[in-house]
Amino acid sequence: MSILKNCLGLSHEYIKKVLGEGDIAIDATCGNGHDTELLCSMVGDSGHVYAFDVQKQAIDATKERVKDFNNVTLILDGHEKMEGYISGDVSAIMFNFGYLPGGNHNKATKKETSISAIDAGLRLLKKGGLMTLCIYSGGDTGFEEKNAILEFLKGIDSKCFSVLSHDFINQKNNPPMLICIEKK
Ligand SMILES: C[S@@+](CC[C@H](N)C(=O)[O-])C[C@H]1O[C@@H](n2cnc3c(N)ncnc32)[C@H](O)[C@@H]1O
């Protein structure tokens, strides 16, 4: 097995370093609920997970996946509105951009709402908290969202946040990249 994990595997490794029992976490793009399930298992009964998606199909799939947990709130709304649901002190926020696997490609994340949601998430993170961003490009996803997000992230104040990029630069077919943002 390779030491270097893929984008999703790497994001999970980082999340495991910051998230524990009693913490608050956000899955900003719950999709089929794989990341939501991981977050629920990590924060335990004394913690809480908020999971967002704009598609009912995704919320229903996530509800089924996390049916054995009682520490999660599923929200059928855009992640750009997360500050309307959560007030702060968040330890970890996961974004997995793009479209729902097996779902409607027209309901993919969009650069404007994605950037607005990242900005909101950075305000909600507590000091020492971590945001992970899995960013897809190429194919029918294109490069517009990725380029816009990277431009936005380059402008983030380095006194307040560390932004680390992970990119498999020799792989073909535009593999997803991982960005991790730590609040100092
Ligand atoms: C790549 S999928 C997420 C996969 C998911 N993490 C999983 O484990 O299955 C991206 C999801 O983002 C959702 N999405 C698109 N725009 C959104 C928005 N403004 N707010 C929240 N979710 C959004 C899509 O409906 C889709 O389900």
Side-chain angles (χ1 to χ4, degrees):
M1 189 153 93
S2 173
I3 293 172
L4 298 182
K5 301 214 160 73
N6 65 15
C7 178
L8 276 178
L10 274 175
S11 71
H12 293 171
E13 290 296 310
Y14 280 111
I15 290 290
K16 283 177 193 161
K17 288 183 197 293
V18 294
L19 200 60
E21 288 270 329
D23 286 341
I24 299 172
I26 299 175
D27 184 349
T29 49
C30 68
N32 288 319
H34 299 94
D35 294 331
T36 311
E37 184 181 24
L38 177 81
L39 295 172
C40 287
S41 68
M42 291 173 69
V43 302
D45 287 340
S46 57
H48 205 81
V49 176
Y50 297 87
F52 292 84
D53 207 290
V54 287
Q55 296 191 72
K56 186 169 181 306
Q57 180 190 347
I59 294 292
D60 288 346
T62 301
K63 189 184 281 178
E64 176 60 22
R65 190 169 288 279
V66 298
K67 62 178 185 302
D68 295 333
F69 292 93
N70 55 12
N71 58 356
V72 55
T73 303
L74 304 180
I75 301 165
L76 179 60
D77 204 349
H79 42 213
E80 64 279 10
K81 299 185 203 144
M82 63 173 76
E83 284 175 296
Y85 296 90
I86 307 151
S87 50
D89 231 14
V90 177
S91 297
I93 306 178
M94 298 186 76
F95 282 90
N96 190 349
F97 296 104
Y99 51 79
L100 182 66
N104 186 345
H105 291 206
N106 294 326
K107 296 275 169 74
T109 52
K110 308 261 180 318
K111 64 176 180 181
E112 291 84 3
T113 42
S114 297
I115 289 171
S116 167
I118 294 168
D119 205 18
L122 293 178
R123 287 190 288 272
L124 292 175
L125 269 188
K126 68 178 189 186
K127 282 191 180 159
L130 187 78
M131 180 185 289
T132 62
L133 313 169
C134 278
I135 308 175
Y136 298 81
S137 59
D140 62 358
T141 303
F143 293 88
E144 210 187 335
E145 183 182 36
K146 174 180 174 176
N147 292 342
I149 291 174
L150 290 180
E151 241 357 86
F152 171 75
L153 296 180
K154 282 180 196 160
I156 291 179
D157 187 352
S158 60
K159 288 197 212 75
C160 306
F161 296 96
S162 298
V163 185
L164 176 64
S165 165
H166 309 64
D167 214 346
F168 289 94
I169 59 175
N170 69 336
Q171 282 184 11
K172 296 195 169 47
N173 302 322
N174 308 299
M177 72 182 299
L178 173 68
I179 302 268
C180 292
I181 309 176
E182 182 181 14
K183 194 165 191 169
K184 294 183 182 175

